[in-house]
Amino acid sequence: MGQAPKSVPSSVNGWSAEYIDAQYQTYLTDPDSLPSDVRAFFAGFDLALANGSATGGAGSGGGEPDVQAGVGRLMAAYRGLGHHAAAIDPFGAKRPRPDLLELEESHLTEADLDRVVDAESLFLPAGSRLRDVVDRLEEVYLGPIGVEFQHIQKTDEREWIRRRFEEARGKADLDKGDKAHVLEQLVNATSFETFLQKRYPGDKRFSLEGAESLIPLLDALIEHASGQGIDEIVLGMAHRGRLNVLNQILGKTPEQIFTEFEDTWDGDEFVDDGGDVKYHRGYSATRQYRTGAMVHLAMASNPSHLEAVGSVVLGRTRAKQRLRHDTGRKKVAPLIIHGDAAVAGQGIVYELLQLQSLAGYCVGGAVHVVVNNHIGFTTDPADARSTSYCTDIAKAFECPVFHVNGEDPEAVVAAARFAVEYRQRFHKDVFIDLWCYRKYGHNEQDEASFTQPVRAAKIRQKKPVLDVYAERLVAEGTITQHDVDVLHERIAEALDAAQKHAKDQPRDPTIDPGSERWVGLRHGYSFEPTPTAVDRDTVREVCGALGRTPDGFELNRKLKKLIEQRGSLADADPDQTVLSYADAEILAFGTLLLEGHQVRVSGQDSRRGTFTSRHAMLKDAKTSEEYYPLNNIREIGDPNTAHEPGSPGTDGRPRQARMCIYDSPLSEMGVLGFEYGYSLADPDMLVCWEAQFGDFVNGAQVIIDQFITSAQVKWERWTGLTMMLPHGYEGAGPEHSSARLERFLQACGNENMQVVYPSTGGQIFHVLRRQVKRSFRKPLIIMAPKSMLRVPTSGMRDVYEGTFREMIDDPAFEHGGGDRAGVRRLRFCMGKVYHELAARRDAAGADDVAIVRIEQLYPFHIELAKELVARYPNADDIAWVQEEPHNMGAAIFIHDKFRRHLGLDIAYIGRDFAASPSPGSKKMDRHQQEQVISRAIAPEPTKAEEKPAAVARSA
């Protein structure tokens, strides 16, 4: 009996023969680890084998299998396939019934229906007959909830869902008060939509009509969550039904919403082209539920790019969990509401699900609710996806799915409760697929019958869920018709009064978008220098940690020199050029940690650094044990315990903060959205996202355009997120050269972000520290040259005494070393190309050339630019020099600034207009670069005239 019985079919639930054999081996050695139905299944076959009746399999002439084995097979079929025939269609359409649900497929007949069978696993009493089993299976698995869970590989998860669902018979146990509460929510939700349609028929609102059961679903989910230990939920959703959710679930008042329809509010959101449409806005509030529990709800602001907000929700949740010391990830949970077309069609959903179990990104599971109206704008499901369900992506990550009929509000409540309990128990994502419909077209002015005429006709004839449920409660005696009428009258009067107030006394539709953590931070930008220098003793302490490893730790021999060099930085002559970009960055992180600022860095290859420059995490060459030098400067402060950063350690010194650095999955859009969301919660933490190559930022463009560059003016949401983007022309081809600087500059306005291209390590050090030391928060976009990451460009005096400089005058003239009056050619540039220009200028002896660096492109320091130009009164050849093509980089931006604010129409020196960032040939790229340098300074000197490269000393 070492193999599974031969009559076990390989088609049950799609199990392969190999899988069945493996399960049978488990049954033989550890039967208690298997679900009871699986145990019964194999036990029945063993019995049949012992009786000699199952040797030949079905139809082989060897006899029929044991009845109990057939019962096990039938149960397995319903549990695995019942969802296909569940009554979840809101129009009552019968769905195809799988053949395996028929008795004969389990080798059972009508004659067996009165046989007494073991139905303990279905929670049926002893003495139950087969017909009782069938009735119970039909009730549980073919009712208004169709559950998918058999794709989950972990037995404990599958068994928990099975037991919980079957014990509850797929229902919620609601008393009269619960049912009345559900009805009241449906009355409020329906009345709200009806009122808006009547009073504002020309306004888009993306009605919830046809999916009103979303409101009792969310209410039940949150209320049940409060009893499961959750006291804060971060929500994200698109625009369908958003106004209703804001009103009914988050408590945004009708007066506030009607004020937006009336357009009578004169708040700051309308200044400088700010604000956003009403169905994109976020909101937050603390709500008290019937149990008395208080739950804080935060709805993330969301633009029209549907699924993008999910990443923001997850990041914000993770940050809140850290701030709340929620190490078990049980107190703060994310709730993401999708549309059916979007959840199936947008790849970011896969990216986010991939994060659920990763150390740097897990949030303990998200609850996903899909408002499934079976249409995407005008696109039918047959044209929108290749899968049976819009939620089939969940199966790739072994997440359970509860498909529920939106026309059954009590089933909707049950699904919500099942989902919350699963999330809290197993810390995984879970899906609720709410089958409903859309009463109107994509918006209220759209004619749905143009593209879905048959469905539109059915919808026009359909009775609203409110009416159906009210009739049901009246018929069963839960309430009276008078009770229903009173509810309608009460909400109608309240909505009328709210509209009147909105017209006469407008209510601010917004809320303070920050929190107590943002108190004291200004909103506007300032060029006022920020003290960011660090004393030598602090730097020495950081260097000491960077230069040591634990006893017995075997460091890769190729890293020993780097580690020694970093350990000795504080001992170098302050004026000796020893500091590279990579060294400066790691010192900036370390000094911030000692000052109590948490640091989070996330991106592909971030621990080592794509260009082998960072080495924030070291691995033992023999054991692969991980070691983080920056988390071993001092005794560490753990934000998840009482030992906060800054509290005294055992040695009496303040504890340091923690460096959180993660190698992300190969995802740009999802991970950048996550980090943006994370940054919204904590302005005192340096949150960085790093692109592996600068051009990898292309994959995250939606997050940049829809959130990072515009959130300040659209929603008054501030962020100190730092984006670190490798950039520079080094012959690596078009896709590894440009971080698309021009796209960021084109999006600059309203002092919405900072765009910098530092030319030295000292500048990197200060700009990173400045990000959390300023009295305001703006996104920081850093362009950083790949080839110079490990090249010394600064002395340590820059660290001890300096601060970030938006523009840097030519060192050859800045300290009186050169004759400014003799300068005829003035070159403005940025970043890496400065060092090439300075090296050529020095090699050619071109003393009439001055090179000025613009380190911060935006906000552009106009007064400083004027001052720098005035320092060279005889310069009659002023040009902007860049290595990017003319239509890329900063050329167009810089020319506009000089023309409008300085009255100068400066020349351009750089590559011509191009469709691609750079040529694919390294030889051609170097040829073009030489042309740029030669035109800006002088032709390349001959070998006899050539002087040593000045990259290191020219800074």
Side-chain angles (χ1 to χ4, degrees):
M1 229 184 307
Q3 294 182 341
K6 297 301 182 183
S7 53
V8 177
S10 61
S11 59
V12 173
N13 199 37
W15 290 348
S16 67
E18 292 78 8
Y19 179 72
I20 293 175
D21 280 343
Q23 291 288 88
Y24 188 62
Q25 293 303 317
T26 302
Y27 167 73
L28 294 175
T29 58
D30 186 15
D32 290 338
S33 67
L34 295 174
S36 58
D37 60 309
V38 177
R39 293 198 305 270
F41 181 53
F42 286 125
F45 272 99
D46 275 357
L47 180 61
L49 283 170
N51 294 332
S53 60
T55 56
S60 68
E64 292 295 323
D66 180 82
V67 170
Q68 191 60 47
V71 172
R73 182 177 179 181
L74 186 65
M75 289 180 181
Y78 272 90
R79 288 160 179 163
L81 302 173
H83 61 90
H84 287 297
I88 59 177
D89 189 284
F91 295 95
K94 292 289 185 180
R95 304 169 68 228
R97 183 184 177 95
D99 291 341
L100 286 174
L101 301 188
E102 303 306 324
L103 288 174
E104 56 269 23
E105 291 294 325
S106 294
H107 304 292
L108 299 170
T109 67
E110 294 282 338
D112 295 319
L113 288 174
D114 288 318
R115 286 179 181 254
V116 174
V117 296
D118 179 5
E120 178 188 359
S121 70
L122 269 177
F123 300 95
L124 286 170
S128 295
R129 298 167 301 165
L130 176 58
R131 70 173 64 253
D132 300 320
V133 170
V134 173
D135 289 345
R136 178 60 61 86
L137 290 171
E138 291 274 323
E139 176 190 16
V140 173
Y141 288 104
L142 270 62
I145 300 178
V147 58
E148 290 188 273
F149 67 100
Q150 292 287 52
H151 56 278
I152 299 173
Q153 294 299 305
K154 290 187 176 179
T155 302
D156 60 333
E157 290 184 35
R158 274 201 326 275
E159 181 68 356
W160 181 88
I161 295 172
R162 182 199 67 76
R163 290 184 61 85
R164 179 71 182 88
F165 196 67
E166 291 177 357
E167 188 173 23
R169 298 166 74 168
K171 301 174 182 177
D173 184 16
L174 303 184
D175 59 25
K176 286 188 175 183
D178 295 329
K179 294 179 179 182
H181 179 67
V182 171
L183 179 67
E184 183 175 11
Q185 290 181 308
L186 288 175
V187 169
N188 291 346
T190 303
S191 299
F192 179 81
E193 296 293 354
T194 303
F195 187 91
L196 290 179
Q197 178 65 12
K198 181 179 178 181
R199 301 297 176 89
Y200 304 104
D203 284 301
K204 289 181 181 180
R205 71 178 192 278
F206 298 98
S207 162
L208 188 62
E209 289 166 274
E212 294 93 341
S213 287
L214 176 66
I215 299 303
L217 188 158
L218 296 179
D219 179 83
L221 194 156
I222 298 168
E223 183 176 71
H224 200 56
S226 70
Q228 297 282 317
I230 296 173
D231 54 24
E232 184 166 6
I233 292 179
V234 183
L235 298 92
M237 69 179 297
H239 37 261
R240 175 71 53 203
R242 187 183 183 92
L243 295 179
N244 212 315
V245 172
L246 286 171
N247 175 229
Q248 302 295 326
I249 302 300
L250 279 92
K252 187 171 184 177
T253 67
E255 288 90 342
Q256 290 175 297
I257 294 172
F258 295 158
T259 293
E260 294 174 296
F261 278 95
E262 297 290 341
D263 214 5
T264 50
W265 176 248
D266 295 324
D268 292 340
E269 72 270 21
F270 295 115
V271 176
D272 295 329
D273 301 320
D276 199 355
V277 292
K278 61 188 79 70
Y279 40 80
H280 288 174
R281 292 185 186 279
Y283 201 79
S284 63
T286 299
R287 305 294 306 275
Q288 184 172 25
Y289 287 83
R290 294 180 300 158
T291 59
M294 307 290 286
V295 180
H296 184 75
L297 306 173
M299 172 77 81
S301 300
N302 185 28
S304 293
H305 212 91
L306 305 179
E307 296 298 333
V309 76
S311 60
V312 179
V313 166
L314 295 184
R316 196 171 170 190
T317 299
R318 171 85 175 205
K320 285 176 174 286
Q321 289 171 342
R322 181 182 63 82
L323 293 169
R324 297 274 310 273
H325 313 318
D326 184 13
T327 54
R329 312 202 184 280
K330 288 179 174 287
K331 299 177 183 178
V332 188
L335 170 56
I336 306 174
I337 305 170
H338 310 264
D340 54 303
V343 76
Q346 296 188 25
I348 191 173
V349 177
Y350 184 94
E351 294 184 36
L352 300 186
L353 288 169
Q354 196 66 265
L355 300 179
Q356 70 171 323
S357 300
L358 303 184
Y361 310 91
C362 67
V363 293
V367 178
H368 302 263
V369 176
V370 180
V371 180
N372 188 350
N373 52 46
H374 298 83
I375 189 170
F377 208 128
T378 65
T379 305
D380 284 317
D383 297 311
R385 63 177 189 262
S386 299
T387 55
S388 297
Y389 295 112
C390 64
T391 53
D392 279 349
I393 185 66
K395 296 178 184 177
F397 297 90
E398 299 184 32
C399 305
V401 183
F402 296 92
H403 306 280
V404 59
N405 192 330
E407 296 297 286
D408 189 331
E410 294 182 18
V412 161
V413 170
R417 292 179 177 179
F418 293 144
V420 168
E421 292 173 20
Y422 175 85
R423 187 269 175 192
Q424 287 297 86
R425 187 178 185 91
F426 297 105
H427 314 297
K428 282 179 55 179
D429 288 42
V430 56
F431 282 73
I432 301 172
D433 180 18
L434 178 66
W435 279 47
C436 50
Y437 61 93
R438 191 180 72 193
K439 183 175 180 180
Y440 303 105
H442 179 64
N443 59 64
E444 289 67 40
Q445 289 73 49
D446 187 34
E447 181 51 66
S449 64
F450 290 162
T451 50
Q452 281 80 28
V454 175
R455 187 175 182 83
K458 288 182 179 180
I459 290 172
R460 285 194 296 269
Q461 298 167 7
K462 188 154 185 23
K463 186 180 290 188
V465 63
L466 167 62
D467 296 349
V468 174
Y469 189 58
E471 291 171 2
R472 171 178 163 184
L473 295 190
V474 171
E476 68 183 32
T478 299
I479 59 170
T480 67
Q481 185 58 49
H482 175 71
D483 296 329
V484 178
D485 295 339
V486 168
L487 288 175
H488 279 286
E489 291 169 7
R490 185 186 303 160
I491 187 63
E493 291 173 0
L495 293 174
D496 272 328
Q499 188 188 37
K500 185 177 186 303
H501 287 145
K503 291 179 177 180
D504 300 337
Q505 300 174 346
R507 292 284 301 276
D508 183 354
T510 65
I511 58 167
D512 180 2
S515 65
E516 61 182 17
R517 293 182 178 276
W518 294 83
V519 172
L521 291 173
R522 296 184 290 131
H523 300 177
Y525 187 85
S526 172
F527 284 110
E528 182 179 351
T530 304
T532 50
V534 179
D535 65 79
R536 194 166 185 168
D537 287 342
T538 301
V539 173
R540 181 174 282 110
E541 188 175 1
V542 175
C543 290
L546 293 173
R548 66 174 176 261
T549 55
D551 292 341
F553 189 93
E554 183 155 341
L555 187 67
N556 185 299
R557 61 182 180 80
K558 295 182 180 179
L559 290 178
K560 290 182 179 179
K561 183 177 180 181
L562 171 68
I563 296 304
E564 291 172 359
Q565 177 263 327
R566 283 184 174 169
S568 64
L569 283 172
D571 300 322
D573 181 339
D575 296 312
Q576 179 187 359
T577 303
V578 295
L579 187 67
S580 69
Y581 274 71
D583 295 336
E585 176 206 86
I586 211 85
L587 288 180
F589 293 156
T591 53
L592 287 173
L593 295 173
L594 288 184
E595 292 164 358
H597 293 282
Q598 306 278 350
V599 177
R600 177 181 170 93
V601 180
S602 169
Q604 296 138 27
D605 310 305
S606 284
R607 287 166 169 158
R608 189 200 75 174
T610 298
F611 307 101
T612 318
S613 58
R614 182 170 293 130
H615 298 291
M617 183 265 285
L618 303 174
K619 281 200 173 184
D620 187 287
K622 287 189 175 179
T623 67
S624 286
E625 177 188 354
E626 296 179 356
Y627 178 71
Y628 295 82
L630 287 181
N631 281 335
N632 288 276
I633 308 172
R634 288 184 195 160
E635 189 172 340
I636 201 159
D638 188 347
N640 295 317
T641 70
H643 301 306
E644 295 279 358
S647 64
T650 54
D651 59 1
R653 295 185 302 169
R655 287 179 166 88
Q656 71 162 90
R658 182 179 296 276
M659 173 77 170
C660 304
I661 185 164
Y662 301 103
D663 292 338
S664 75
L666 195 61
S667 155
E668 288 83 40
M669 185 175 172
V671 173
L672 178 58
F674 187 100
E675 301 307 333
Y676 167 75
Y678 200 107
S679 72
L680 294 176
D682 189 357
D684 294 323
M685 185 176 192
L686 180 63
V687 181
C688 305
W689 177 76
E690 180 182 46
Q692 190 177 39
F693 285 92
D695 52 279
F696 275 45
V697 77
N698 293 343
Q701 198 65 44
V702 168
I703 301 298
I704 296 165
D705 292 344
Q706 304 276 14
F707 293 93
I708 294 170
T709 66
S710 56
Q712 170 186 306
V713 295
K714 290 195 299 190
W715 313 311
E716 291 187 275
R717 290 300 308 179
W718 315 297
T719 170
L721 178 69
T722 296
M723 295 175 60
M724 305 165 74
L725 311 179
H727 180 82
Y729 284 59
E730 290 140 1
E735 309 311 328
H736 288 173
S737 296
S738 176
R740 292 297 188 176
L741 171 61
E742 63 279 359
R743 294 179 184 169
F744 291 97
L745 295 177
Q746 189 178 42
C748 286
N750 307 108
E751 298 178 340
N752 60 330
M753 58 180 166
Q754 308 158 95
V755 182
V756 302
Y757 193 173
S759 62
T760 70
Q763 287 284 83
I764 283 282
F765 177 84
H766 291 296
V767 81
L768 286 171
R769 287 180 49 79
R770 184 182 76 164
Q771 189 65 356
V772 289
K773 295 296 185 180
R774 289 185 136 178
S775 58
F776 55 87
R777 295 292 178 267
K778 305 280 184 181
L780 173 62
I781 316 301
I782 301 177
M783 302 283 152
K786 306 180 289 290
S787 64
M788 295 184 60
L789 284 170
R790 296 185 300 276
V791 176
T793 55
S794 296
M796 293 299 293
R797 191 174 300 281
D798 283 353
V799 171
Y800 306 143
E801 300 177 4
T803 188
F804 183 78
R805 303 164 70 186
E806 287 84 2
M807 299 180 189
I808 301 178
D809 197 2
D810 194 324
F813 301 94
E814 189 173 24
H815 305 296
D819 179 14
R820 292 184 189 275
V823 171
R824 303 300 298 272
R825 292 182 289 170
L826 180 57
R827 304 296 185 238
F828 285 89
C829 67
M830 60 186 179
K832 175 179 78 74
V833 78
Y834 162 76
H835 297 283
E836 296 176 68
L837 293 172
R840 179 63 57 84
R841 188 261 313 272
D842 293 353
D847 297 333
D848 67 332
V849 178
I851 308 167
V852 176
R853 284 165 278 177
I854 297 181
E855 302 280 291
Q856 178 169 299
L857 293 152
Y858 190 83
F860 189 78
H861 202 322
I862 296 167
E863 297 305 315
L864 183 54
K866 290 178 179 178
E867 179 185 332
L868 287 167
V869 171
R871 291 179 186 176
Y872 300 94
N874 297 322
D876 53 10
D877 178 3
I878 305 176
W880 170 256
V881 184
Q882 69 176 36
E883 55 187 0
E884 301 90 344
H886 197 165
N887 54 315
M888 302 178 194
I892 295 173
F893 175 86
I894 289 293
H895 278 79
D896 176 70
K897 294 297 181 186
F898 272 75
R899 186 180 300 112
R900 288 201 298 139
H901 300 294
L902 280 74
L904 294 175
D905 194 6
I906 64 175
Y908 167 77
I909 299 175
R911 304 179 197 220
D912 201 354
F913 285 80
S916 178
S918 76
S921 162
K922 185 171 185 176
K923 182 177 180 180
M924 178 58 70
D925 180 81
R926 292 302 85 195
H927 172 69
Q928 292 180 354
Q929 189 79 347
E930 169 56 29
Q931 287 183 315
V932 171
I933 303 302
S934 295
R935 284 162 52 202
I937 306 295
E940 187 173 16
T942 65
K943 291 293 182 182
E945 300 169 332
E946 192 171 308
K947 298 179 181 179
V951 170
R953 62 186 179 83
S954 63

